[in-house]
Amino acid sequence: TMRTVRHLLEEKGHEVHAIDPDAAVLDAIRLMAEKQVGAVLVMRGRELVGMLSERDYARKVILAGLSSRDTPVRDIMTGDVVTVGLDDHVPGCMEIVTRKRIRHLPVVDAAGTVLGLVSIGDLVKAVIADQQTELEHLHSYIAG
């Protein structure tokens, strides 16, 4: 059976780290460091308005010579967020992150409520686990 986003969140949990679009970029970087994550959701209340990654920071703040203290998150965030749903399958998600060259997919329901976050690491882990299971089945089939 193909694993879905629902399965991934059941394993890893629904916790997400978010920052307000008006917050200073420095605060977002602090949050990422503290939580040991490579990206945070940008949320105005319960509404997902963007994503901010270490890559956004490196390219749009450091390389542009901006101040991370004086630059608001909304100025450098990725506003057009690619999201997935609970019933999306792992291979489809892999295809999205590969094609769009992104590392994180927020999980939302039909109403747009954020339910969690899936990273490329979570996806790779799931693919490997599925392949492992398949190999074991194959092995017992051949040995049987």
Side-chain angles (χ1 to χ4, degrees):
T1 59
M2 261 196 293
R3 238 184 258 228
T4 62
V5 168
R6 187 187 308 272
H7 296 133
L8 298 188
L9 290 187
E10 277 166 9
E11 282 168 27
K12 73 170 283 195
H14 293 262
E15 189 183 20
V16 292
H17 305 295
I19 191 114
D20 191 275
D22 299 326
V25 168
L26 184 66
D27 294 330
I29 297 303
R30 272 207 192 106
L31 179 63
M32 285 186 228
E34 195 184 300
K35 303 296 182 185
Q36 298 184 314
V37 292
V40 288
L41 301 182
V42 183
M43 296 185 72
R44 189 174 268 118
R46 302 184 61 93
E47 185 198 356
L48 177 64
V49 294
M51 274 284 329
L52 185 72
S53 68
E54 286 172 340
R55 188 181 287 172
D56 290 324
Y57 172 65
R59 291 183 182 168
K60 298 173 189 171
V61 177
I62 299 175
L63 289 178
L66 296 175
S67 154
S68 55
R69 198 169 302 239
D70 304 327
T71 305
V73 166
R74 63 171 183 275
D75 283 6
I76 67 154
M77 71 182 188
T78 299
D80 194 15
V81 186
V82 183
T83 61
V84 292
L86 288 175
D87 297 324
D88 282 319
H89 291 97
V90 167
C93 294
M94 278 299 268
E95 213 254 315
I96 294 169
V97 296
T98 307
R99 190 163 37 91
K100 297 203 176 271
R101 296 204 170 109
I102 52 180
R103 304 182 65 84
H104 301 84
L105 293 169
V107 183
V108 298
D109 65 13
T113 305
V114 176
L115 306 172
L117 183 71
V118 170
S119 74
I120 194 164
D122 301 329
L123 294 168
V124 169
K125 213 158 61 177
V127 168
I128 291 170
D130 286 349
Q131 285 174 346
Q132 193 61 46
T133 308
E134 217 170 291
L135 280 173
E136 283 160 14
H137 287 305
L138 211 55
H139 195 267
S140 58
Y141 174 73
I142 296 164

mmCIF file of all heavy atoms in Angstrom, residues 64-88:
data_model
loop_
_atom_site.group_PDB
_atom_site.id
_atom_site.type_symbol
_atom_site.label_atom_id
_atom_site.label_comp_id
_atom_site.label_asym_id
_atom_site.label_seq_id
_atom_site.Cartn_x
_atom_site.Cartn_y
_atom_site.Cartn_z
ATOM 1 N N ALA A 64 21.913 39.966 -0.289
ATOM 2 C CA ALA A 64 21.434 41.304 -0.658
ATOM 3 C C ALA A 64 21.952 42.376 0.312
ATOM 4 O O ALA A 64 21.698 43.561 0.138
ATOM 5 C CB ALA A 64 19.907 41.318 -0.689
ATOM 6 N N GLY A 65 22.667 41.918 1.338
ATOM 7 C CA GLY A 65 23.234 42.858 2.296
ATOM 8 C C GLY A 65 22.198 43.542 3.164
ATOM 9 O O GLY A 65 22.398 44.657 3.642
ATOM 10 N N LEU A 66 21.064 42.876 3.384
ATOM 11 C CA LEU A 66 20.021 43.451 4.240
ATOM 12 C C LEU A 66 20.325 43.164 5.703
ATOM 13 O O LEU A 66 21.129 42.291 6.021
ATOM 14 C CB LEU A 66 18.658 42.857 3.872
ATOM 15 C CG LEU A 66 18.118 43.142 2.471
ATOM 16 C CD1 LEU A 66 16.821 42.369 2.231
ATOM 17 C CD2 LEU A 66 17.868 44.626 2.269
ATOM 18 N N SER A 67 19.628 43.856 6.579
ATOM 19 C CA SER A 67 19.776 43.608 8.007
ATOM 20 C C SER A 67 18.686 42.654 8.468
ATOM 21 O O SER A 67 17.503 42.901 8.240
ATOM 22 C CB SER A 67 19.660 44.931 8.777
ATOM 23 O OG SER A 67 19.216 44.684 10.094
ATOM 24 N N SER A 68 19.078 41.565 9.121
ATOM 25 C CA SER A 68 18.084 40.591 9.577
ATOM 26 C C SER A 68 17.277 41.128 10.760
ATOM 27 O O SER A 68 16.215 40.625 11.085
ATOM 28 C CB SER A 68 18.748 39.266 9.936
ATOM 29 O OG SER A 68 19.765 39.482 10.874
ATOM 30 N N ARG A 69 17.788 42.205 11.368
ATOM 31 C CA ARG A 69 17.087 42.826 12.498
ATOM 32 C C ARG A 69 15.989 43.772 12.004
ATOM 33 O O ARG A 69 14.947 43.901 12.623
ATOM 34 C CB ARG A 69 18.099 43.590 13.341
ATOM 35 C CG ARG A 69 17.651 43.930 14.719
ATOM 36 C CD ARG A 69 18.813 44.426 15.519
ATOM 37 N NE ARG A 69 19.880 43.407 15.543
ATOM 38 C CZ ARG A 69 20.342 42.868 16.670
ATOM 39 N NH1 ARG A 69 19.911 43.258 17.813
ATOM 40 N NH2 ARG A 69 21.280 41.944 16.650
ATOM 41 N N ASP A 70 16.265 44.443 10.881
ATOM 42 C CA ASP A 70 15.341 45.472 10.381
ATOM 43 C C ASP A 70 14.438 44.999 9.249
ATOM 44 O O ASP A 70 13.548 45.725 8.823
ATOM 45 C CB ASP A 70 16.133 46.699 9.889
ATOM 46 C CG ASP A 70 17.041 47.249 10.982
ATOM 47 O OD1 ASP A 70 16.662 47.166 12.163
ATOM 48 O OD2 ASP A 70 18.138 47.746 10.648
ATOM 49 N N THR A 71 14.678 43.796 8.739
ATOM 50 C CA THR A 71 13.876 43.290 7.623
ATOM 51 C C THR A 71 12.751 42.422 8.157
ATOM 52 O O THR A 71 13.001 41.474 8.906
ATOM 53 C CB THR A 71 14.759 42.461 6.659
ATOM 54 O OG1 THR A 71 15.863 43.262 6.242
ATOM 55 C CG2 THR A 71 13.968 42.020 5.432
ATOM 56 N N PRO A 72 11.480 42.753 7.790
ATOM 57 C CA PRO A 72 10.378 41.897 8.228
ATOM 58 C C PRO A 72 10.319 40.617 7.393
ATOM 59 O O PRO A 72 10.715 40.611 6.218
ATOM 60 C CB PRO A 72 9.135 42.749 7.998
ATOM 61 C CG PRO A 72 9.518 43.763 6.980
ATOM 62 C CD PRO A 72 11.002 43.935 7.051
ATOM 63 N N VAL A 73 9.840 39.549 8.007
ATOM 64 C CA VAL A 73 9.712 38.247 7.361
ATOM 65 C C VAL A 73 8.956 38.350 6.029
ATOM 66 O O VAL A 73 9.341 37.739 5.038
ATOM 67 C CB VAL A 73 9.010 37.244 8.315
ATOM 68 C CG1 VAL A 73 8.557 35.988 7.591
ATOM 69 C CG2 VAL A 73 9.938 36.892 9.479
ATOM 70 N N ARG A 74 7.895 39.171 6.000
ATOM 71 C CA ARG A 74 7.062 39.251 4.791
ATOM 72 C C ARG A 74 7.832 39.724 3.556
ATOM 73 O O ARG A 74 7.465 39.398 2.429
ATOM 74 C CB ARG A 74 5.843 40.150 5.022
ATOM 75 C CG ARG A 74 6.186 41.587 5.318
ATOM 76 C CD ARG A 74 4.973 42.514 5.339
ATOM 77 N NE ARG A 74 5.457 43.877 5.552
ATOM 78 C CZ ARG A 74 5.706 44.398 6.744
ATOM 79 N NH1 ARG A 74 5.454 43.695 7.835
ATOM 80 N NH2 ARG A 74 6.193 45.622 6.855
ATOM 81 N N ASP A 75 8.933 40.472 3.778
ATOM 82 C CA ASP A 75 9.729 40.981 2.656
ATOM 83 C C ASP A 75 10.525 39.895 1.935
ATOM 84 O O ASP A 75 10.875 40.059 0.771
ATOM 85 C CB ASP A 75 10.700 42.067 3.124
ATOM 86 C CG ASP A 75 10.004 43.409 3.347
ATOM 87 O OD1 ASP A 75 8.757 43.446 3.240
ATOM 88 O OD2 ASP A 75 10.706 44.392 3.626
ATOM 89 N N ILE A 76 10.846 38.817 2.645
ATOM 90 C CA ILE A 76 11.702 37.799 2.022
ATOM 91 C C ILE A 76 11.074 36.402 1.975
ATOM 92 O O ILE A 76 11.659 35.481 1.430
ATOM 93 C CB ILE A 76 13.078 37.714 2.725
ATOM 94 C CG1 ILE A 76 12.929 37.178 4.147
ATOM 95 C CG2 ILE A 76 13.794 39.048 2.685
ATOM 96 C CD1 ILE A 76 14.175 36.483 4.656
ATOM 97 N N MET A 77 9.868 36.265 2.549
ATOM 98 C CA MET A 77 9.244 34.939 2.560
ATOM 99 C C MET A 77 8.817 34.521 1.142
ATOM 100 O O MET A 77 8.691 35.346 0.245
ATOM 101 C CB MET A 77 8.011 34.944 3.476
ATOM 102 C CG MET A 77 6.845 35.731 2.920
ATOM 103 S SD MET A 77 5.442 35.755 4.067
ATOM 104 C CE MET A 77 4.193 36.529 3.018
ATOM 105 N N THR A 78 8.631 33.225 0.980
ATOM 106 C CA THR A 78 8.039 32.710 -0.250
ATOM 107 C C THR A 78 6.539 32.740 -0.031
ATOM 108 O O THR A 78 6.020 32.050 0.848
ATOM 109 C CB THR A 78 8.524 31.261 -0.521
ATOM 110 O OG1 THR A 78 9.942 31.291 -0.665
ATOM 111 C CG2 THR A 78 7.881 30.697 -1.768
ATOM 112 N N GLY A 79 5.853 33.579 -0.794
ATOM 113 C CA GLY A 79 4.429 33.790 -0.559
ATOM 114 C C GLY A 79 3.527 32.751 -1.212
ATOM 115 O O GLY A 79 2.441 32.479 -0.739
ATOM 116 N N ASP A 80 4.003 32.172 -2.293
ATOM 117 C CA ASP A 80 3.182 31.227 -3.038
ATOM 118 C C ASP A 80 3.502 29.819 -2.557
ATOM 119 O O ASP A 80 4.364 29.144 -3.113
ATOM 120 C CB ASP A 80 3.490 31.375 -4.533
ATOM 121 C CG ASP A 80 2.463 30.686 -5.403
ATOM 122 O OD1 ASP A 80 1.382 30.353 -4.870
ATOM 123 O OD2 ASP A 80 2.739 30.467 -6.589
ATOM 124 N N VAL A 81 2.812 29.390 -1.490
ATOM 125 C CA VAL A 81 3.172 28.135 -0.834
ATOM 126 C C VAL A 81 2.491 26.928 -1.487
ATOM 127 O O VAL A 81 1.288 26.930 -1.710
ATOM 128 C CB VAL A 81 2.801 28.168 0.667
ATOM 129 C CG1 VAL A 81 3.315 26.930 1.378
ATOM 130 C CG2 VAL A 81 3.354 29.417 1.323
ATOM 131 N N VAL A 82 3.288 25.926 -1.792
ATOM 132 C CA VAL A 82 2.753 24.666 -2.320
ATOM 133 C C VAL A 82 2.368 23.803 -1.127
ATOM 134 O O VAL A 82 3.199 23.523 -0.265
ATOM 135 C CB VAL A 82 3.812 23.927 -3.170
ATOM 136 C CG1 VAL A 82 3.225 22.656 -3.765
ATOM 137 C CG2 VAL A 82 4.348 24.840 -4.263
ATOM 138 N N THR A 83 1.106 23.397 -1.066
ATOM 139 C CA THR A 83 0.635 22.590 0.063
ATOM 140 C C THR A 83 0.133 21.230 -0.417
ATOM 141 O O THR A 83 -0.131 21.042 -1.602
ATOM 142 C CB THR A 83 -0.521 23.296 0.813
ATOM 143 O OG1 THR A 83 -1.610 23.484 -0.094
ATOM 144 C CG2 THR A 83 -0.088 24.639 1.366
ATOM 145 N N VAL A 84 -0.007 20.294 0.524
ATOM 146 C CA VAL A 84 -0.580 18.986 0.226
ATOM 147 C C VAL A 84 -1.665 18.671 1.243
ATOM 148 O O VAL A 84 -1.780 19.353 2.266
ATOM 149 C CB VAL A 84 0.490 17.862 0.228
ATOM 150 C CG1 VAL A 84 1.460 18.026 -0.945
ATOM 151 C CG2 VAL A 84 1.249 17.817 1.549
ATOM 152 N N GLY A 85 -2.452 17.636 0.947
ATOM 153 C CA GLY A 85 -3.517 17.204 1.850
ATOM 154 C C GLY A 85 -3.187 15.866 2.487
ATOM 155 O O GLY A 85 -2.232 15.193 2.083
ATOM 156 N N LEU A 86 -3.986 15.463 3.474
ATOM 157 C CA LEU A 86 -3.750 14.221 4.217
ATOM 158 C C LEU A 86 -3.777 12.978 3.332
ATOM 159 O O LEU A 86 -3.125 11.986 3.610
ATOM 160 C CB LEU A 86 -4.788 14.069 5.334
ATOM 161 C CG LEU A 86 -4.654 15.001 6.535
ATOM 162 C CD1 LEU A 86 -5.825 14.799 7.477
ATOM 163 C CD2 LEU A 86 -3.337 14.770 7.263
ATOM 164 N N ASP A 87 -4.579 13.026 2.269
ATOM 165 C CA ASP A 87 -4.740 11.843 1.433
ATOM 166 C C ASP A 87 -3.773 11.787 0.255
ATOM 167 O O ASP A 87 -3.803 10.855 -0.552
ATOM 168 C CB ASP A 87 -6.189 11.739 0.941
ATOM 169 C CG ASP A 87 -7.165 11.559 2.110
ATOM 170 O OD1 ASP A 87 -6.794 10.868 3.083
ATOM 171 O OD2 ASP A 87 -8.272 12.129 2.065
ATOM 172 N N ASP A 88 -2.903 12.788 0.148
ATOM 173 C CA ASP A 88 -1.886 12.749 -0.909
ATOM 174 C C ASP A 88 -0.891 11.637 -0.603
ATOM 175 O O ASP A 88 -0.601 11.347 0.558
ATOM 176 C CB ASP A 88 -1.167 14.097 -1.018
ATOM 177 C CG ASP A 88 -2.008 15.133 -1.757
ATOM 178 O OD1 ASP A 88 -2.637 14.767 -2.758
ATOM 179 O OD2 ASP A 88 -2.049 16.297 -1.324
#
